[in-house]
Amino acid sequence: MKIIFIGPPGSGKGTQAKRLAGQFAIPHISTGDMLREAVADGTSLGAQAAPIMAAGALVPDDLMVGIIDERLKKGDAAKGFILDGFPRTVVQAEKLETIVGNGKADLRVLQLLVPDDAIVRRIALRRTCVNCGAIYHLENNPPAIDDVCDRCGAEVIARPDDTEEAVRKRLESFHRQTVPVATYYKSKSILREVDGVGPLDVVFERIEKSLA
Ligand code: AP5
């Protein structure tokens, strides 16, 4: 099972991909999480990526392709994976084909459809665990104890790139650079569009159905 999640910021890619990865016992590979780890670890990649992410822009393609190429070589990705946040440009999609093959037979691309106005509200109320990356929402899915992760007990915070200005920029780059990726996969007849509006469980059921 090789799955790619495409969707605007805050569409629920991370939330749904984590659950699906648990169900299929395959790795959830989030380029956003990998970059945030690099920032937290103070690596040179993190130093390069931090200001770009904070501004809501995209990290250069060559860096991202290198990261994914390395990650997909690890043994746990041999039986399948869920890519969350990659590819985000047509260049990345083309490079991915050289890494995994054109994948027509086993690559499934899911596009989560959520309108821009719903995104802004979701992101304003999102909170993320600084340690394990668990995702919460203050209204729909809050942690049991305020600001404390249910899973690992670490602090739960608003992401630094969840400012209104950065979210607007991320949405703009999604429409300009990532919607063409969906079109690219549509032309290969491997795109599955899923309505991402509704309770988390309902959206998950739609995803399961679209994969069946
Ligand atoms: P990344 O971390 O990938 O951010 P993103 O794509 O902007 O997506 P988000 O993590 O914001 O949202 P999500 O869709 O995962 O939604 P979530 O499940 O959290 O990337 C961050 C940055 O890294 C980029 O801006 C870029 O700079 C860089 N980067 C990463 N990959 C790159 C690449 N390939 N190339 C170049 N640069 C790259 O849900 C959001 C909220 O909504 C949560 O609070 C959740 O609880 C809630 N929610 C989820 N589902 C529902 C629902 N059905 N109803 C109500 N609320 C819901």
Side-chain angles (χ1 to χ4, degrees), residues 7-16 30-33 35-36 52-53 56-59 64 84-88 92 122-123 125-127 135-137 140-141 159 161-162 170 196-200 203:
S11 56
K13 302 182 298 293
T15 301
Q16 301 293 348
S30 157
T31 42
D33 286 350
L35 291 170
R36 281 185 285 279
I52 300 173
M53 294 169 77
L58 291 187
V59 174
M64 298 312 302
D84 161 9
F86 186 96
R88 251 179 161 95
Q92 291 180 16
R122 281 191 190 182
I123 289 190
L125 297 180
R126 170 169 55 191
R127 297 294 181 270
I135 301 165
Y136 299 94
H137 187 276
N140 309 325
N141 181 28
R159 267 172 40 182
D161 61 342
D162 280 352
R170 280 154 64 197
V197 178
L200 299 181
V203 174

Side-chain angles (χ1 to χ4, degrees), residues 15-78:
T15 301
Q16 301 293 348
K18 281 180 207 299
R19 187 164 166 184
L20 205 58
Q23 181 155 315
F24 289 126
I26 52 177
H28 166 219
I29 300 174
S30 157
T31 42
D33 286 350
M34 292 165 90
L35 291 170
R36 281 185 285 279
E37 265 173 47
V39 173
D41 292 348
T43 66
S44 65
L45 168 67
Q48 253 180 293
I52 300 173
M53 294 169 77
L58 291 187
V59 174
D61 286 335
D62 54 343
L63 272 181
M64 298 312 302
V65 170
I67 291 171
I68 283 295
D69 192 15
E70 280 304 304
R71 179 62 186 88
L72 293 181
K73 282 182 186 145
K74 292 194 177 167
D76 64 343

Side-chain angles (χ1 to χ4, degrees), residues 53-132:
M53 294 169 77
L58 291 187
V59 174
D61 286 335
D62 54 343
L63 272 181
M64 298 312 302
V65 170
I67 291 171
I68 283 295
D69 192 15
E70 280 304 304
R71 179 62 186 88
L72 293 181
K73 282 182 186 145
K74 292 194 177 167
D76 64 343
K79 60 178 177 171
F81 50 78
I82 301 177
L83 287 181
D84 161 9
F86 186 96
R88 251 179 161 95
T89 65
V90 172
V91 170
Q92 291 180 16
E94 288 168 347
K95 297 282 184 190
L96 183 63
E97 284 185 9
T98 68
I99 298 171
V100 297
N102 102 358
K104 268 201 151 181
D106 56 0
L107 198 62
R108 295 152 200 235
V109 184
L110 289 172
Q111 184 181 12
L112 280 178
L113 304 173
V114 179
D116 288 3
D117 52 355
I119 295 296
V120 175
R121 179 153 183 80
R122 281 191 190 182
I123 289 190
L125 297 180
R126 170 169 55 191
R127 297 294 181 270
T128 308
C129 174
V130 290
N131 178 47
C132 71

